[in-house]
Amino acid sequence: QVQLQESGGGSAQSGGSLRLSCVVSGVTYSDYCMGWFRQAPGKEREGVAIIVDRFGVTIYPDSVKGRFAISQDSAKNTLYLQMNSLKPEDTAMYYCAADLCGEAPKVLAGDFGYWGQGTQVTVSS
């Protein structure tokens, strides 16, 4: 049974940093695509970082590229999202997600079947 549990959200000032963690159980990292998504009130859920172990790739949208970094520690069953140079527009509920990879990396929220409960990130100016 795949389970995900996020932690590490909270409040930060603009320009500050936060690190999110997600304990992932029930997966083989080499078989799964994993990612971080966020959803602000009234907006659609969007991907902010994807990691695909089998392809050795990480994927970021332009909005966070150079500021956010996704990583994983399979020995600790944990997925991380390091967020630097935070901006007020990064304020959202952040979710980690996982699903079996196919022939290509999964990047859309609708492609992921397993989700954590979310952790709130609030950035003030």
Side-chain angles (χ1 to χ4, degrees), residues 38-41 87-94 120-124:
R38 68 185 180 189
Q39 188 166 20
K87 303 176 180 180
E89 51 263 44
D90 294 320
T91 295
M93 186 71 79
Y94 282 71
Q120 178 68 37
V121 171
T122 303
V123 183
S124 57

Side-chain angles (χ1 to χ4, degrees), residues 14 16 19 34 43-44 51-52 56-57 89 91 97 117 123:
S14 181
R19 188 175 81 156
M34 298 189 190
K43 295 188 176 181
E44 292 188 355
I51 187 166
V52 185
V57 299
E89 51 263 44
T91 295
Q117 84 291 346
V123 183

